Amino acid sequence: MVRPANGGGKPRQVLSEVNGDQEPGIRVGSGSVAGSDCGGFEFSKEGVEALLNERKITKNMSLKEKCDVRQDYIKRLRMCVKCFQEHEVELLLKQEQDVKKLEFAEKRCGDLEMLMSQKEEELNSIIMELRKNCTALQEKFAKEESEKSSALESLIKEKDARLSAERSHVSVMEELERAQRECSSANEKISSLNDMYKRLQEYNTGLQQYNSKLQSELNQTHEALKHAEKQKAIVVENLSNLRGHCKSLQDQLNAAKTSSNETMKLKEALASEVGRLRLDLQQVRDDRDRVSTQVQDLSTEVSKYKEWTGKSTAELGNLTTKSNELEATCSSQSNMIKKLQEKLAAAENKLEMSDLSAFEIRTGYEEQQRVNSDLQLRLADAELKLVEGESLRKKLHNTILELKGNIRVFCRVRPLLFDDGADNESKTVSFPTTTDNMGRGIELLQNGQKHSFIFDKVFVPESSQEDVFVEVSQLVQSALDGYKVCIFAYGQTGSGKTHTMMGTPGSFDDKGLIPRSLEQIFESRQTLQNQGWKYDMQVSMLEIYNETIRDLLTTNRPGSTELGTKQYAIKHDANGNTHVSDLTVVDVRSSREVSFLLSRAAQSRSVGKTQMNEQSSRSHFVFTMRITGVNEGTEQQVQGVLNLIDLAGSERLSKSGSTGDRLKETQAINKSLSSLSDVIFALAKKEEHVPYRNSKLTYLLQPCLGGNSKTLMVVNVSPAPSSLNESLCSLRFAARVNACEIGTPRRQTSVKPFDARFSYG
Ligand code: ADP
Ligand code: ADP
Ligand code: MG
């Protein structure tokens, strides 16, 4: 039996027991040897050596003792040998086992190595794959990031588009409202036409009723006529009867008359007979009596006859008068019938005519309705087109602005004035009429040499203030949309700067850009209010004279401005807003309030003018309006600024020919104007350093010049031949400015709330 190696075990003192003394134990190899056949004893190396080296002192011993000792020694040696033999067998066994184990282990090791190399290969391939994956993922990530940025960009674009869509929506709503109003007015017209139609129908029915009444009357009169005719026939019959009767009576009368005549003759004959017979009177008294009675009878009869005839003549007269009357009534009735028939005909005519006119009206009405609906359709179509066109125009306008950079230049030539001392013959300024430069070109003739310039717009002397404003109104509108807008008037003294900017504020035709812009802003504010926009406006006005700022709205008198320049220190904050310390800023709610402020500023300027030698033309006038808009519906906010600037006269030093204070003024002006051009050209060249600080004017306007604002320069030119040199200088400067591209205008909008009060700039 083999025990496992026991390196750390304590050496067992087995041989000492065998040896019977204190010798160290026997060790074999590194491990201890033990055998069951050795009686559980173990032998260390030292123990074996001690056993071999043992020399027992046997000199004095007997042989038997010696033999015993030797036997004992042999016995122990044998035991030792046996033990070692056993141990050897064990070791051989163990060795075999170990060899087997080793082989097995080697095999396993080889297997493991194979496995390991396979695994390693696998892992390498996995690593390669992972690396590939990693690079793919990195690529994907980069792509996604670019996608994200493009999405962000498109989001911003979409936001912009949404804003513009909102604006267009607003205008569409307005149009819609107008269309609805028109529609309602058309409806009203229709209803009024309907009313008229109804009334006409009523009139028609009235006329028909009247007609039927007339016809019934006609029938009645016909009947009456018939009746009258019948009566007339009866009367005529009666009359003929009466005539017959009368005739018979007359016949009778005639007979009676003849008989009376006969009797008269008889009487005469009788009378003659009486005369003859007078003598025989007595004789013929009886005869006479009889005859007289006869005469009496006859006379009564005659009287009776006479009475009868009288009666009959009276009756006849009566009858004739009656017949006459009847005839008169008959004729009058027939007259009436005639009249009534005429009337009826007229009424029928009228009816026909009214029917005709009703029909005409109806057809006219229908036609009108058709035309109306057609017009409405066309109106809607036109409105749609208008909206589309307007949005397209706006887009194109903005695109053009973006393409051109933000400084635009207009040129305005004022008319020749009486003071200019020149007639129209000596024309130095002309305007090309070729179609491509129409309204954009200007030519100056100097010493027979022609100088041509092209600007964004050229206003001829006949252009009105309204014409100029129409071109600028879009720009003014952008201030409400949140842009910074800056409009300069540039030119020599007397070229029309003040006329262009201010004009005659009170008048209708002659007021300048400033009053017109304000009116437009307040009007737009009113209309935008319906879309949920609420605007706050703040106005300040200042003048820069000899590099010194003067507050034109201060309630203190000008003397107090001499406190020092520290009072009006200009500061810009991170948002691109400008503050001028101590400057009066006034909240305004209507253009009337602003007009009041303008007149106050003008007064304040004119006070300066008398005191400071026509300061107005020697100073820059800066009108600033800050516009803050909040849309309660969409939570959108915009901050726009409108700067309107009447610059000092740009004439050069030599022309002024000045000395002393005048010289100082002119130098200050020249410095600020040349600083202005330096700034503009530095911006155009995209130079790192832009010399804003070289003058008060440029420093004040820094946020409005630098890149994200909309700037317009109106170059004023006098057509007077005496001003030709200055005009040329102005136009050259303007042309250089016009060639500048400065940047893209940017709106200042936000969606989260900001401080209600905001700063200058
Ligand atoms: P500036 O301000 O450049 O010195 P003004 O505006 O004072 O020049 O103009 C000088 C004169 O010319 C004024 O009397 C003004 O009324 C007149 N004027 C300028 N422009 C015009 C114009 N477009 N139409 C009529 N008169 C003008
Ligand atoms: P600017 O606008 O450059 O300051 P002004 O306003 O002083 O120039 O005027 C420029 C010219 O316009 C003057 O020289 C003058 O001839 C003329 N002008 C301006 N206002 C008047 C006026 N009220 N009456 C007569 N002429 C005027
Ligand atoms: Mg002026």
Side-chain angles (χ1 to χ4, degrees):
M1 175 188 156
V2 178
R3 287 230 191 135
N6 190 4
K10 75 177 182 206
R12 277 159 236 176
Q13 303 295 322
V14 278
L15 209 70
S16 62
E17 277 169 48
V18 175
N19 292 344
D21 56 18
Q22 292 294 309
E23 281 170 345
I26 299 164
R27 273 169 193 257
V28 179
S30 59
S32 303
V33 181
S36 54
D37 291 348
C38 307
F41 299 122
E42 291 174 8
F43 296 89
S44 68
K45 201 177 170 184
E46 291 93 335
V48 172
E49 262 167 34
L51 189 65
L52 289 178
N53 293 335
E54 204 177 82
R55 291 290 181 268
K56 295 273 181 181
I57 304 146
T58 53
K59 265 180 201 172
N60 300 333
M61 287 182 191
S62 64
L63 195 69
K64 197 182 175 299
E65 278 171 343
K66 273 183 187 175
C67 204
D68 279 350
V69 168
R70 289 280 152 102
Q71 264 177 347
D72 183 49
Y73 184 52
I74 287 164
K75 200 177 158 191
R76 273 192 295 162
L77 276 176
R78 269 190 191 143
M79 242 160 81
C80 184
V81 167
K82 201 179 166 191
C83 190
F84 268 96
Q85 274 172 342
E86 273 175 19
H87 191 65
E88 195 184 10
V89 171
E90 265 178 22
L91 278 177
L92 275 172
L93 261 166
K94 205 177 156 195
Q95 193 189 8
E96 248 172 68
Q97 275 177 357
D98 278 349
V99 166
K100 272 186 200 161
K101 261 188 192 168
L102 185 71
E103 273 173 8
F104 182 68
E106 264 176 356
K107 214 174 126 192
R108 252 177 64 180
C109 200
D111 283 355
L112 269 175
E113 242 173 14
M114 286 261 286
L115 222 82
M116 280 297 175
S117 62
Q118 272 176 11
K119 274 258 171 74
E120 200 185 2
E121 268 174 21
E122 263 174 30
L123 282 173
N124 275 339
S125 66
I126 284 169
I127 284 167
M128 287 284 281
E129 234 171 48
L130 281 175
R131 277 203 187 124
K132 264 192 232 158
N133 272 353
C134 183
T135 50
L137 280 173
Q138 268 173 349
E139 276 172 19
K140 218 167 144 187
F141 178 66
K143 223 163 64 183
E144 266 178 6
E145 237 174 10
S146 70
E147 267 173 18
K148 191 186 134 195
S149 63
S150 69
L152 275 174
E153 271 172 26
S154 70
L155 183 71
I156 288 165
K157 265 189 217 155
E158 268 175 12
K159 268 191 189 164
D160 273 356
R162 206 188 99 196
L163 278 173
S164 69
E166 266 174 3
R167 259 179 285 144
S168 66
H169 175 73
V170 162
S171 66
V172 164
M173 288 297 281
E174 276 174 29
E175 295 283 349
L176 186 69
E177 258 180 31
R178 223 185 320 137
Q180 272 172 348
R181 259 182 279 138
E182 272 172 18
C183 182
S184 65
S185 77
N187 277 340
E188 274 173 22
K189 217 168 151 186
I190 286 168
S191 65
S192 76
L193 277 173
N194 267 335
D195 276 353
M196 206 165 119
Y197 177 55
K198 255 188 211 160
R199 261 186 284 140
L200 277 171
Q201 268 186 338
E202 276 170 16
Y203 181 52
N204 194 5
T205 50
L207 278 176
Q208 274 173 347
Q209 278 173 6
Y210 183 49
N211 186 15
S212 59
K213 218 164 77 186
L214 279 178
Q215 263 174 344
S216 66
E217 263 180 23
L218 184 70
N219 285 342
Q220 275 175 8
T221 38
H222 269 306
E223 270 171 21
L225 188 67
K226 260 185 203 161
H227 190 68
E229 268 173 348
K230 255 190 216 161
Q231 268 190 358
K232 187 187 156 192
I234 292 167
V235 164
V236 167
E237 218 179 72
N238 268 349
L239 194 65
S240 61
N241 278 352
L242 283 173
R243 272 195 190 133
H245 195 61
C246 183
K247 218 177 182 182
S248 69
L249 281 175
Q250 263 176 345
D251 281 348
Q252 272 183 15
L253 186 66
N254 284 344
K257 265 181 187 166
T258 51
S259 68
S260 110
N261 279 349
E262 272 173 15
T263 41
M264 284 292 271
K265 271 176 200 163
L266 202 69
K267 192 189 148 189
E268 273 172 8
L270 281 172
S272 65
E273 219 174 334
V274 165
R276 247 187 321 124
L277 292 173
R278 203 159 270 180
L279 296 168
D280 304 320
L281 191 55
Q282 228 51 42
Q283 297 165 331
V284 249
R285 194 148 292 185
D286 293 330
D287 272 347
R288 192 202 63 179
D289 283 335
R290 197 183 23 104
V291 166
S292 66
T293 52
Q294 239 179 15
V295 165
Q296 258 177 353
D297 279 347
L298 280 171
S299 63
T300 53
E301 213 173 339
V302 164
S303 68
K304 225 191 259 171
Y305 273 128
K306 264 182 189 168
E307 230 177 310
W308 275 11
T309 49
K311 245 187 211 165
S312 71
T313 48
E315 211 172 350
L316 186 67
N318 265 353
L319 280 171
T320 47
T321 52
K322 216 171 173 182
S323 108
N324 281 345
E325 261 174 30
L326 277 172
E327 264 172 349
T329 53
C330 184
S331 71
S332 77
Q333 266 177 355
S334 63
N335 266 349
M336 208 162 124
I337 285 164
K338 238 184 215 166
K339 267 186 207 160
L340 280 173
Q341 266 170 343
E342 274 169 11
K343 238 180 182 173
L344 182 69
E348 262 168 352
N349 252 350
K350 225 170 171 179
L351 183 69
E352 229 171 57
M353 254 151 69
S354 67
D355 265 349
L356 218 77
S357 70
F359 179 72
E360 266 170 19
I361 285 171
R362 200 182 301 169
T363 50
Y365 167 69
E366 270 163 14
E367 208 169 316
Q368 261 182 358
Q369 241 177 356
R370 223 172 36 239
V371 167
N372 195 2
S373 61
D374 192 45
L375 279 176
Q376 261 172 350
L377 275 176
R378 269 165 63 184
L379 181 73
D381 201 40
E383 269 164 10
L384 210 78
K385 267 186 195 158
L386 188 74
V387 166
E388 277 170 9
E390 180 61 19
S391 67
L392 186 70
R393 194 194 65 72
K394 260 187 198 161
K395 233 191 243 168
L396 286 176
H397 174 79
N398 278 330
T399 316
I400 288 169
L401 285 195
E402 272 164 30
L403 287 175
K404 276 182 59 58
N406 61 348
I407 286 210
R408 283 194 295 159
V409 177
F410 290 175
C411 174
R412 186 182 195 186
V413 182
R414 74 155 165 77
L416 263 179
L417 299 177
F418 182 73
D419 295 350
D420 293 333
D423 48 7
N424 283 338
E425 299 303 304
S426 53
K427 259 203 168 161
T428 52
V429 181
S430 59
F431 305 94
T433 49
T434 53
T435 43
D436 52 337
N437 286 341
M438 187 80 163
R440 298 184 56 219
I442 178 169
E443 285 168 359
L444 250 62
L445 203 69
Q446 190 189 33
N447 305 329
Q449 200 183 352
K450 201 162 85 177
H451 304 271
S452 299
F453 299 92
I454 302 280
F455 297 109
D456 292 299
K457 181 87 197 158
V458 171
F459 296 102
V460 298
E462 293 78 29
S463 301
S464 67
Q465 299 278 59
E466 175 67 19
D467 293 341
V468 179
F469 179 69
V470 163
E471 292 294 321
V472 172
S473 66
Q474 194 72 41
L475 202 59
V476 173
Q477 197 66 30
S478 339
L480 279 172
D481 297 340
Y483 287 96
K484 291 195 172 89
V485 176
C486 211
I487 303 178
F488 294 97
Y490 182 93
Q492 69 176 116
T493 299
S495 59
K497 297 184 298 294
T498 309
H499 181 81
T500 300
M501 294 312 279
M502 271 293 191
T504 318
S507 87
F508 181 78
D509 286 326
D510 262 354
K511 58 190 173 213
L513 292 187
I514 295 180
R516 280 172 202 267
S517 304
L518 299 176
E519 276 166 22
Q520 178 184 326
I521 280 177
F522 283 104
E523 264 168 34
S524 300
R525 181 174 84 156
Q526 207 65 39
T527 50
L528 286 172
Q529 214 164 32
N530 302 335
Q531 296 153 28
W533 281 101
K534 254 190 82 180
Y535 280 101
D536 281 322
M537 323 271 186
Q538 292 177 315
V539 159
S540 62
M541 291 183 221
L542 59 85
E543 189 176 40
I544 303 177
Y545 175 70
N546 275 354
E547 288 297 287
T548 312
I549 289 180
R550 290 184 62 229
D551 186 354
L552 292 175
L553 294 182
T554 183
T555 41
N556 302 331
R557 277 295 87 203
S560 62
T561 59
E562 307 304 326
L563 278 169
T565 50
K566 280 226 174 70
Q567 197 184 356
Y568 298 117
I570 302 168
K571 279 197 199 96
H572 302 295
D573 70 14
N575 297 331
N577 296 319
T578 309
H579 308 261
V580 178
S581 59
D582 299 320
L583 189 72
T584 314
V585 176
V586 183
D587 286 290
V588 288
R589 279 173 297 280
S590 68
S591 56
R592 203 140 41 88
E593 282 181 31
V594 184
S595 317
F596 172 72
L597 293 178
L598 279 175
S599 62
R600 202 164 105 194
Q603 219 168 15
S604 166
R605 246 191 134 186
S606 62
V607 166
K609 195 167 174 173
T610 49
Q611 282 181 350
M612 296 191 183
N613 194 11
E614 287 212 319
Q615 190 179 321
S616 76
S617 64
R618 314 275 82 210
S619 66
H620 308 297
F621 168 68
V622 182
F623 170 92
T624 305
M625 178 179 252
R626 274 145 296 150
I627 300 167
T628 320
V630 183
N631 193 323
E632 279 156 358
T634 60
E635 306 237 316
Q636 250 186 334
Q637 293 179 337
V638 295
Q639 278 176 275
V641 183
L642 180 65
N643 281 308
L644 301 168
I645 300 149
D646 185 1
L647 291 173
S650 63
E651 56 271 13
R652 286 160 304 167
L653 192 54
S654 57
K655 196 179 178 189
S656 309
S658 39
T659 52
D661 279 355
R662 207 69 175 150
L663 181 70
K664 207 176 123 199
E665 270 178 7
T666 312
Q667 278 168 342
I669 293 165
N670 284 357
K671 186 180 158 216
S672 58
L673 286 178
S674 67
S675 301
L676 182 63
S677 52
D678 288 347
V679 164
I680 289 170
F681 297 138
L683 284 169
K685 282 183 207 148
K686 301 201 170 31
E687 279 173 11
E688 240 160 68
H689 176 69
V690 181
Y692 290 115
R693 283 179 183 272
N694 282 2
S695 78
K696 280 263 158 60
L697 180 70
T698 49
Y699 192 51
L700 179 70
L701 296 177
Q702 176 173 357
C704 295
L705 291 170
N708 56 21
S709 73
K710 293 187 175 183
T711 307
L712 167 71
M713 180 174 272
V714 182
V715 180
N716 291 91
V717 173
S718 157
S722 57
S723 303
L724 196 58
N725 267 328
E726 282 301 331
S727 299
L728 206 54
C729 281
S730 292
L731 290 178
R732 278 184 179 140
F733 171 70
R736 282 181 70 199
V737 170
N738 206 16
C740 285
E741 286 170 26
I742 283 189
T744 313
R746 206 174 57 225
R747 283 177 81 187
Q748 191 165 355
T749 60
S750 58
V751 189
K752 60 176 202 288
F754 60 92
D755 291 343
R757 300 289 299 186
F758 68 104
S759 49
Y760 185 95

